[in-house]
Every structure is written in structure tokens, then in C-alpha cells.
Amino acid sequence: MSQIPLDSLDRKILDVLQADGRASNVDISAKVHLSAPQCFRRVRSLEDRGVIRSYRAQVQPESLGLGAMAYVSLNIDGGQFGRVREIEASIRDFPQILECHTVSGDYDYLLKVVARDLKSLSQFLTDQLMQVPGVDDVRSMICMEEVKAAAPLPVDLGP
Amino acid sequence: MSQIPLDSLDRKILDVLQADGRASNVDISAKVHLSAPQCFRRVRSLEDRGVIRSYRAQVQPESLGLGAMAYVSLNIDGGQFGRVREIEASIRDFPQILECHTVSGDYDYLLKVVARDLKSLSQFLTDQLMQVPGVDDVRSMICMEEVKAAAPLPVDLGP
DNA sequence: ACTGAAATCGCGTCAAC
DNA sequence: GTTGACGCGATTTCAGT
């Protein structure tokens, strides 16, 4: 985790690599107006410092037969707070659950879930997620239209 | 968009490229037990068919000074349904908004938002998002702990 | 026709200036 | 910080099945 703040060249590099994670080093160096070895050193430094966590192919869910997506909120049964870490481990183990955060507000957790279709989504929630001891009050918000999808992080949000 | 269903080799390739978007062709071919040209042809076909949407570097938000994240729900003011597409365009234009779906349930839209800190998140919601004509009932769920982060899509969820 | 082998060409990468 | 060199990998062509 870098304490070193990122300068504008680092940010440009991140911008390029968020737009195209397979951009070649010469591509990046051209776009940020840097020599190739310079650029290479910066990219590696960004990787080493953990600024770049990983590179990932973005796969279209439908092509994998994943036609349903939902945000699911859940609470922990008040009597089961001692089991919180176990519940979280269960959540991590379900491949259908893509993301999970604890959140402020009315719910304890918010999850992003995919499934083949609405039926199998419902089955997953009922037969698997709700069966985890301590899980309570499962509510789902089915995703209908994708208005904005997985935008890259803004590299220079004004102060 | 392919009607052609993906076979198990395609799925393995997607698995590898979701885990490492910069995996070299020879790496992939070794892992899926395919000759390099074969593997290459399949990867390109997956790209051409839109199965692989893009490649992306995953950047740690904190290193960009983005210390706050929230899921934000909002409704459209009943009198302003005619402006829905304009509102959606506004949503797409905010770089702080990373994702947006229309959802079933109590809310019309669910957004994923990042900001420098809680203060600037609150400012963004109040001074920008709530100012969009037609936007109503903005509620935020601040992300606290990240229990599971951006898992790759499961390539073979049982039927 | 489809697969794998070989050949080329460009890029990533390092070392020296 | 830049230039140059080396070696590997991506990509195409071709021959064999």
C-alpha cells in the first residue's frame, strides 16, 4: 500500500490500463508521452505497490448462461452475532456471490449475485443463502436494465 | 453475440483470463492443454463474439484517493417519467457513478458510487445527484467492510 | 477442414551509457 | 533518462492428417 501519492503520469497510465488491460508497453508509453523503459518502470511500480491489484478479462455474463443478476440485502439474526465471521466465510464460498459489503442503513450486508435465470436465483436464495445459520431477512432487488456498467475508477476526481 | 454455446475449453480459457487478464497465449495454452495457435484462435473468437468484453486493470480505489464507496438507491419523481432517458444520461456522465441498474422492488435505480471521503460523497449526492431534475428519494448505503470483492464470474454454474 | 509445426517479426526487458 | 541489444512470445503460413 503506497503512501507515495500518484502523479499525473501515473494516473494517465492507470487510465490507459483501465481502458485496455492488455495495452502493450509501447502503446502506453506513446499515450502518456514517456519512453518505453520509463513507462515500464512506472507500470511495474504501480503493480508492486498494489495500486494495480490485478488484470482481468471482462466476460459477458449472458454468454456463460448467467441471465439473472440481483442485489441482495441481508441481516444477521440478532442472536447469532457470534457467528458473523463464519457467515462471511460462507458468503465468500458461494461462486454466485460476486461482491459483498457490509453497509450502513437498514441492512447489514449487500451482495451482488448472479444466476442462470430468475428461477435458479430464487432457488439459490431460498435453498442455499437462507439456509446459512444466522442469515436473516433476505431481500432481493433484481437487476433489470443495465444503465451504466462497470465504469473504470475516475483517476482524478477534483478535490 | 454468440448463440454458439461455449464448450469446456472455452470456459477454461475464460477462467484463466478472468484470473489473469495479461496471461500470455502460451500460458493459457499450457493451462488448457491446447496448442498455441489453437488457443489463440479460440481467444480471438471469444473476443470477436463479444464473450470477452474487454480487459481491464483492477485499480485499488484508495490509491486514487477514493476512500468512500456507497450503494445509492433512487427513485424517479412520478411527474417526471418522461425525462427518464435524460436522467439516465446524467447518471452515465457522472464519473463518480461506477454502476447503475434499474431494479425491482422499492427503488427504481441502484447505483454504485465512489468519492474521496464521506464528506465529498455527501456533497456529491446533495449538490449533484439530487439536483438532477426528476431525481427523488436518494438513499445511500455506505460501504464499510469489503467482505468479498469483485469475484470473477463462475464459468460453470451447475444447471 | 482442421490441427500442429516452423518461421518471422515485433515487443518486452534489461544493461550500459 | 535514453539508446541499443537480446530473447521470448505473438501471429501467420504451410504441410500433413
Side-chain angles (χ1 to χ4, degrees):
Chain A
M1 316 258 179
S2 73
Q3 321 301 34
I4 309 119
L6 305 177
D7 66 16
S8 82
L9 286 170
D10 290 324
R11 286 168 195 271
K12 267 188 213 160
I13 291 172
L14 293 175
D15 215 21
V16 173
L17 282 173
Q18 283 193 106
D20 177 10
R22 297 202 69 130
S24 77
N25 188 48
V26 294
D27 286 347
I28 307 167
S29 62
K31 283 190 179 139
V32 305
H33 306 297
L34 222 51
S35 72
Q38 284 288 10
C39 187
F40 179 72
R41 284 193 266 263
R42 278 182 184 255
V43 170
R44 198 167 50 185
S45 156
L46 291 168
E47 291 167 354
D48 290 345
R49 285 186 282 163
V51 174
I52 296 175
R53 276 219 186 99
S54 66
Y55 299 90
R56 189 78 71 78
Q58 311 284 315
V59 176
Q60 193 198 21
E62 290 78 11
S63 57
L64 288 168
L66 301 168
M69 184 158 121
Y71 287 96
V72 175
S73 65
L74 65 84
N75 284 325
I76 305 269
D77 175 1
Q80 303 274 332
F81 283 144
R83 287 187 29 82
V84 164
R85 295 303 173 195
E86 290 167 66
I87 294 167
E88 292 182 357
S90 305
I91 286 173
R92 273 190 290 268
D93 284 346
F94 286 121
Q96 294 96 332
I97 299 179
L98 302 182
E99 279 178 53
C100 173
H101 287 88
T102 62
V103 292
S104 70
D106 295 333
Y107 309 110
D108 295 328
Y109 293 91
L110 191 67
L111 288 61
K112 187 180 195 173
V113 178
V114 290
R116 179 174 299 279
D117 49 32
L118 290 182
K119 184 167 178 243
S120 80
L121 175 66
S122 161
Q123 280 172 1
F124 168 70
L125 296 178
T126 312
D127 298 337
Q128 312 231 52
L129 190 59
M130 290 182 188
Q131 300 308 319
V132 175
V135 167
D136 199 16
D137 192 27
V138 173
R139 294 172 197 228
S140 53
M141 293 178 283
I142 311 285
C143 293
M144 297 184 295
E145 203 179 332
E146 185 174 73
V147 176
K148 184 168 184 174
L153 294 174
V155 294
D156 63 343
L157 224 47
Chain B
M1 318 265 177
S2 73
Q3 319 301 37
I4 309 121
L6 305 177
D7 66 15
S8 81
L9 285 170
D10 290 324
R11 286 168 195 270
K12 266 188 214 160
I13 291 173
L14 292 175
D15 215 22
V16 172
L17 282 173
Q18 282 194 107
D20 177 11
R22 296 201 71 128
S24 76
N25 188 48
V26 293
D27 286 348
I28 307 168
S29 62
K31 282 188 181 141
V32 305
H33 306 296
L34 223 51
S35 71
Q38 284 289 17
C39 187
F40 179 74
R41 285 192 265 265
R42 278 183 184 255
V43 170
R44 198 165 49 184
S45 155
L46 291 168
E47 290 167 356
D48 290 346
R49 286 187 281 162
V51 174
I52 296 175
R53 278 219 185 99
S54 66
Y55 299 89
R56 188 78 70 79
Q58 310 284 316
V59 176
Q60 194 200 20
E62 290 78 10
S63 58
L64 287 168
L66 300 169
M69 184 158 119
Y71 287 96
V72 175
S73 66
L74 64 85
N75 284 324
I76 305 270
D77 176 2
Q80 303 275 335
F81 284 144
R83 288 187 27 82
V84 163
R85 295 302 172 196
E86 290 168 67
I87 294 167
E88 291 182 358
S90 304
I91 285 172
R92 274 190 288 269
D93 285 346
F94 286 121
Q96 294 95 333
I97 300 179
L98 302 183
E99 279 178 55
C100 174
H101 287 88
T102 62
V103 292
S104 70
D106 295 333
Y107 309 110
D108 296 328
Y109 293 91
L110 190 67
L111 287 62
K112 187 181 195 173
V113 178
V114 289
R116 178 174 299 278
D117 48 33
L118 289 182
K119 184 166 178 243
S120 82
L121 175 66
S122 160
Q123 281 172 0
F124 168 70
L125 296 178
T126 312
D127 298 338
Q128 311 232 53
L129 190 58
M130 290 181 188
Q131 301 309 318
V132 175
V135 167
D136 200 17
D137 192 26
V138 173
R139 293 173 199 228
S140 53
M141 293 178 283
I142 311 284
C143 293
M144 296 182 296
E145 203 179 332
E146 186 173 70
V147 176
K148 183 168 183 173
L153 294 174
V155 294
D156 63 345
L157 221 48

